Amino acid sequence: MHYNAHTMDADRLLEALGSSVRRLRTERGHSLRELASRSGLSSRFLIQVEAGTGNISVRKLLALARALGTTPAALLSGPGGEAELPMIALLGLRGAGKSTLGRRLARKLGIPFVELDRRVEKAAGLSLGEIFALHGEDYFRRLEREALEAVLAEGQPLVLATGGGLVHARETWSRLRRRAFTVWLRADPEDHWNRVVKQGDRRPMADHPGAMAELRRLLAERSALYAQAAFTIDTSRLGVTGSLRALEAQLGSLPASRKVVASR
């Protein structure tokens, strides 16, 4: 069979695509069947893609990239081509420092800062308190998952501040860990308390004499789940500046295929 230059270029692209898909699927722990379900493509076709023989359309390439949490360009660039991580997700109870550190980190990297709770409120047209009072926690968790999926679908690097209870939603938490570099901002109960009060929020104390005990209970209850994050920063020990430096150092030590590229 005679190959011209255009055919050889196409073959190289398909080989690069196959290598990228195989590597990312393995890194994310997806079976072929799971990736097929996520992308809407058949397992048989995905086998061809990974072998470098799948002549993929633009629409299918986009669906495959979204299912793997990357971009079509990164897939086609082959090994090492996934130059960016779509999301850095900060976790912890209220007062952990998610907003403060998140905004500073996003500013340094030149990428957006997003608060997931604000996205939920916007989708519902209600405040968080109203959502819980009118519709309950199950409704909130559904909106939270939908909001996360919408953020992921944007496909751009960003810093995300999550709600403190997201880790209790097993599927949402699992999805976030697969698609983002997750960081638990750990703090002492007293620091959680003092930071919230310093922000002018008196709700922790209002008509709730056992508020501190409740905070300690929540922290103890969620610590094992928060500890599943990829990285933990003790903000009580390091403070804002030290925590930011530790986070930047950790991001800098990621493999090249997982680093965040700041937009210019």
Side-chain angles (χ1 to χ4, degrees):
M1 182 176 180
H2 176 70
Y3 281 84
N4 59 29
H6 294 297
T7 302
M8 292 176 68
D9 285 343
D11 285 348
R12 282 195 289 267
L13 278 175
L14 291 177
E15 288 173 4
L17 172 64
S19 179
S20 293
V21 171
R22 186 168 55 252
R23 175 176 58 82
L24 290 175
R25 180 175 64 80
T26 301
E27 286 182 0
R28 280 133 172 83
H30 299 332
S31 65
L32 275 170
R33 179 177 296 181
E34 184 177 5
L35 182 56
S37 175
R38 290 174 177 276
S39 64
L41 307 179
S42 70
S43 296
R44 181 177 180 182
F45 180 66
L46 289 176
I47 291 173
Q48 294 174 345
V49 169
E50 291 194 359
T53 60
N55 193 6
I56 194 167
S57 69
V58 173
R59 289 184 183 277
K60 288 181 178 179
L61 177 61
L62 180 59
L64 187 54
R66 286 175 172 169
L68 288 168
T70 186
T71 63
L75 284 182
L76 291 171
S77 63
E82 189 192 28
E84 63 185 43
L85 182 72
M87 184 186 298
I88 302 161
L90 306 180
L91 302 114
L93 293 179
R94 288 175 61 207
K98 293 175 291 186
S99 295
T100 299
L101 283 173
R103 288 192 178 93
R104 294 193 183 190
L105 179 63
R107 202 158 45 236
K108 274 188 167 265
L109 294 175
I111 59 179
F113 171 68
V114 173
E115 292 184 291
L116 194 60
D117 281 349
R118 302 294 81 76
R119 291 292 186 96
V120 172
E121 289 179 328
K122 184 176 180 180
L126 299 167
S127 69
L128 293 185
E130 291 170 332
I131 293 172
F132 277 93
L134 295 173
H135 301 289
E137 183 173 359
D138 288 346
Y139 179 74
F140 170 79
R141 295 300 169 202
R142 179 169 66 80
L143 290 182
E144 182 180 57
R145 180 173 176 81
E146 291 172 356
L148 176 61
E149 291 297 338
V151 171
L152 289 171
E154 294 173 7
Q156 64 173 333
L158 58 87
V159 178
L160 180 75
T162 68
L166 178 143
V167 291
H168 284 304
R170 181 179 301 177
E171 290 185 9
T172 306
W173 178 214
S174 177
R175 177 84 164 140
L176 185 63
R177 293 202 311 278
R178 289 196 302 268
R179 294 289 299 275
F181 178 68
T182 51
V183 181
W184 174 24
L185 301 182
R186 183 174 60 194
D188 297 334
E190 293 78 11
D191 283 329
H192 279 289
W193 181 282
N194 293 333
R195 290 168 187 170
V196 172
V197 172
K198 188 176 180 180
Q199 294 165 6
D201 190 346
R202 310 295 294 184
R203 287 177 297 171
M205 297 180 293
D207 301 318
H208 195 347
M212 177 56 84
E214 175 67 10
L215 189 153
R216 291 180 184 279
R217 185 194 66 77
L218 275 177
L219 191 56
E221 179 183 280
R222 295 176 182 172
S223 287
L225 293 171
Y226 287 143
Q228 293 173 0
F231 187 54
T232 298
I233 292 178
D234 189 333
T235 62
S236 288
R237 181 173 62 86
L238 295 176
V240 174
T241 301
S243 296
L244 185 59
R245 287 175 180 165
L247 185 48
E248 288 182 284
Q250 185 65 23
L251 292 173
S253 70
L254 291 176
S257 65
R258 297 283 287 172
K259 285 184 179 178
V260 175
V261 176
S263 58
R264 301 297 183 194

